[in-house]
Amino acid sequence: MRIFEVHKKSGVSDSHIAIKFKGRVYTYGEVDALIDKYASYFQSIGVKKGDRVALSFPNCPEYIFSFMGASKAGAIVVPLNMMLTLEEIGYIIMESGTSVLVVHPAIAQKVDKSQLARLNLKNVVIMDENTVNEILKMKSPAPVDIESGEVCAFLYTSGTTGKPKGAMLTHDNFVSDVKMLYDVSRVIDLGPNDNFLTVLPLFHSFSWTVNVLLGLYLGSTITLKETFMPKDTLETLIQEDITVFCGVPSMFAVLMRMAEKGQFKALRLAISGGAPLAAEVQRGFEEKFNFPLVEGYGLSEAAPVALLNPLDPKALRKPGSIGFPLPGVEAKIVDENDNELPVGEIGELVLKGPNVMVGYHNMPEETAKTLRNGWLHTGDLAKKDEDGYFYIVDRLKDMIITGGFNVYPREIEEVLLTHPAVLEAAVVGVGDPLKGEEIKAFIVLKEGAEADRRELQSFLKDKIASYKIPKYFEFVKELPKTPTGKVNKKLLKQM
């Protein structure tokens, strides 16, 4: 099965509602027809099998149709994080070999056309009303021979070198993850009567796989929102008979404070991912609303879900745990020599399964290091208890997860070091009850130089995405070092 076929599996009628967005309703029959029309449109502008098509959209149905349509035309889709700067997007476009960029009109208005012209794109499509009307006139696309094992998308994830890595995911990777989630969901009979509220950005693999692909595979309804707005989300959860809500921990913390007991009459499942879920948030949420808040674990390289707590309300869910591997996924804890560790010992979490990527685009050394001995090395430190539940303990690398987004300190440090007043910079994550972590920068200024928090934040504004800009700055005379001369970030986190 290819991803543009997942909506056909459920067998629901063509008149069943697939997507709701701003008062507009799309049935399963319309979705099927629109995927064909978008595929035909991409073919009409010269997209051929293997071409890269990048998408930059807020949440909207056109993103789904563009992704599915481009895939059906044989393209490899490159979802773009809307929060990246044009410089960061430019790197991804060039590295991926993207030839067609499809953008929402709201984003197109903010784009510097002269910079865009330097990206060697064959075509830039503004998905405005005129383009949509043109697409609606399209006929059936020419058939393209696409094997399920072929690459479907490049999902770019931040790298420790400061440059994003393009995880190459096949149709099989995505569909396998969906099928495994479907098998797990059978215990609570998710299906056509369910309504998934989607506020997480669709460019995020968690949202794309769990909300869109799984939702369509089940024959459910997907209620789309452009973004997470606490009051609007609360009202939608109550008024739209939402039954499934996927979010990051900070969203559940906010909703727990805002909502009253008994307000979520239809909601029966909440899934948290993207960052560690605080045990007190999970306990408080479940006690207040009397339905499960289930934590899982995933990463882009695994399409993304790999482990999940039981969905059955009667089953044991251990606060702080990421649960069990999905059926079909293998997980174990290993030491630095890749030897499996016994119960309770901390080591690196490694994974194996049909959802694991085929590698990183144009990065054979990174691929060999990450897909070592047939296992995906996650870079996360974890442990397993005597009941088989897994727990994330820390990260091998210094990655910060803030509000569900992965941030690598070195990328920020390298930009800070280009400021004329900065001699040394070290970035760490500090605990935050809403976002999981906030970003803090320790700065050593050059002798006689001056700079403050506002100046450095302003300096970073056009160079990195807003969510990567440190909230806190501490100016110090020197950074603590290890005997080998490396910055001791463990000590920094304690300062």
Side-chain angles (χ1 to χ4, degrees):
M1 181 182 287
R2 288 75 57 90
I3 66 161
F4 50 82
E5 298 167 321
V6 295
H7 63 289
K8 296 181 178 181
K9 183 269 165 195
S10 65
V12 295
S13 69
D14 283 351
S15 60
H16 190 68
I17 296 174
I19 299 169
K20 290 182 175 181
F21 181 71
K22 290 185 174 181
R24 173 75 161 89
V25 168
Y26 297 84
T27 66
Y28 271 80
E30 288 176 301
V31 167
D32 192 44
L34 284 164
I35 290 172
D36 273 356
K37 289 179 182 294
Y38 274 70
S40 185
Y41 172 77
F42 283 118
Q43 289 178 340
S44 76
I45 61 171
V47 171
K48 295 179 175 60
K49 185 176 179 179
D51 286 350
R52 279 65 152 164
V53 174
L55 307 179
S56 184
F57 285 78
N59 283 4
C60 61
E62 290 76 23
Y63 178 92
I64 298 173
F65 305 146
S66 294
F67 197 127
M68 299 292 203
S71 294
K72 190 162 188 174
I76 294 171
V77 177
V78 183
L80 296 174
N81 182 336
M82 281 175 47
M83 299 176 73
L84 298 180
T85 64
L86 193 57
E87 185 176 326
E88 292 169 310
I89 288 171
Y91 171 81
I92 291 173
I93 286 174
M94 298 296 285
E95 202 284 331
S96 63
T98 289
S99 58
V100 176
L101 172 62
V102 189
V103 296
H104 188 275
I107 296 171
Q109 293 172 3
K110 304 173 185 176
V111 171
D112 185 327
K113 303 298 189 295
S114 62
Q115 283 184 283
L116 210 55
R118 295 197 288 268
L119 297 179
N120 298 326
L121 292 161
K122 292 180 182 176
N123 215 319
V124 177
V125 177
I126 312 297
M127 194 57 69
D128 56 18
E129 188 177 348
N130 290 334
T131 304
V132 171
N133 287 336
E134 187 179 346
I135 291 171
L136 294 177
K137 297 173 184 175
M138 291 287 161
K139 306 296 183 185
S140 297
V144 181
D145 184 21
I146 304 167
E147 298 294 327
S148 60
E150 293 183 43
V151 175
C152 167
F154 293 167
L155 301 185
Y156 277 82
T157 179
S158 296
T160 52
T161 61
K163 294 298 184 185
K165 298 177 289 187
M168 299 187 291
L169 279 297
T170 67
H171 291 268
D172 270 341
N173 290 152
F174 284 114
V175 174
S176 295
D177 209 37
V178 170
K179 287 181 176 179
M180 291 186 291
L181 288 165
Y182 171 77
D183 288 342
V184 167
S185 76
R186 292 171 71 179
V187 71
I188 57 170
D189 293 324
L190 289 182
N193 293 326
D194 284 291
N195 188 352
F196 286 64
L197 177 58
T198 304
V199 298
L200 289 170
L202 294 179
F203 61 73
H204 198 295
S205 56
F206 176 31
S207 186
W208 178 249
T209 296
V210 181
N211 283 320
V212 177
L213 298 183
L214 177 61
L216 293 174
Y217 190 82
L218 289 163
S220 305
T221 297
I222 300 163
T223 297
L224 270 179
K225 291 287 181 177
E226 286 180 320
T227 189
F228 175 71
M229 304 279 287
K231 186 179 178 182
D232 179 62
T233 299
L234 179 59
E235 290 175 353
T236 305
L237 285 166
I238 296 166
Q239 297 170 7
E240 293 289 334
D241 291 330
I242 301 298
T243 62
V244 181
F245 177 59
C246 301
V248 294
S250 57
M251 294 178 182
F252 296 107
V254 169
L255 290 171
M256 187 169 64
R257 289 201 306 266
M258 292 177 60
E260 302 294 333
K261 270 190 175 183
Q263 281 192 296
F264 301 140
K265 291 183 170 59
L267 198 57
R268 63 194 190 100
L269 174 64
I271 301 177
S272 179
L277 175 66
E280 58 268 27
V281 172
Q282 184 181 18
R283 287 195 194 98
F285 197 92
E286 292 190 346
E287 286 172 7
K288 187 170 185 177
F289 303 118
N290 199 32
F291 64 87
L293 172 55
V294 177
E295 183 173 13
Y297 170 86
L299 63 168
S300 297
E301 291 87 341
V305 186
L307 292 94
L308 192 66
N309 269 276
L311 300 189
D312 186 348
K314 298 176 183 176
L316 175 64
R317 283 186 310 284
K318 298 187 179 185
S321 167
I322 55 172
F324 303 99
L326 294 180
V329 172
E330 296 177 63
K332 63 181 181 178
I333 309 298
V334 300
D335 62 16
E336 63 273 13
N337 297 314
D338 289 349
N339 298 311
E340 187 169 5
L341 293 169
V343 165
E345 289 200 24
I346 295 171
E348 185 179 11
L349 174 64
V350 297
L351 306 168
K352 182 188 287 188
N355 54 327
V356 171
M357 69 170 185
V358 294
Y360 294 116
H361 181 251
N362 281 341
M363 291 187 176
E365 290 183 6
E366 286 285 346
T367 298
K369 185 168 67 175
T370 304
L371 299 179
R372 200 163 64 247
N373 299 324
W375 291 82
L376 169 63
H377 287 65
T378 67
D380 285 317
L381 290 171
K383 64 181 180 179
K384 183 172 74 169
D385 70 15
E386 62 282 354
D387 297 319
Y389 287 75
F390 284 77
Y391 301 77
I392 297 297
V393 176
D394 206 337
R395 285 173 284 280
L396 282 174
K397 306 183 181 82
D398 292 321
M399 185 178 73
I400 300 165
I401 301 180
T402 179
F405 290 103
N406 294 348
V407 176
Y408 282 86
R410 183 172 173 180
E411 180 184 6
I412 305 169
E413 292 161 359
E414 288 178 351
V415 179
L416 282 168
L417 289 171
T418 65
H419 189 282
V422 175
L423 176 65
E424 290 185 285
V427 173
V428 300
V430 293
D432 182 87
L434 284 183
K435 291 187 175 181
E437 289 180 297
E438 276 286 6
I439 304 168
K440 182 175 183 178
F442 289 86
I443 304 294
V444 178
L445 295 175
K446 294 176 181 176
E447 189 174 350
E450 293 183 358
D452 59 16
R453 173 182 62 84
R454 288 185 179 180
E455 180 180 342
L456 293 181
Q457 286 177 329
S458 178
F459 174 75
L460 294 171
K461 187 176 179 182
D462 296 322
K463 296 176 176 61
I464 57 175
S466 60
Y467 67 86
K468 300 177 185 177
I469 296 175
K471 181 177 181 179
Y472 306 109
F473 284 78
E474 186 167 335
F475 295 85
V476 295
K477 290 184 178 180
E478 61 181 10
L479 297 174
K481 304 286 199 319
T482 66
T484 58
K486 294 181 180 180
V487 175
N488 190 331
K489 291 195 173 180
K490 185 175 181 180
L491 280 182
L492 285 178
K493 288 186 177 184
Q494 296 169 0
M495 291 173 63

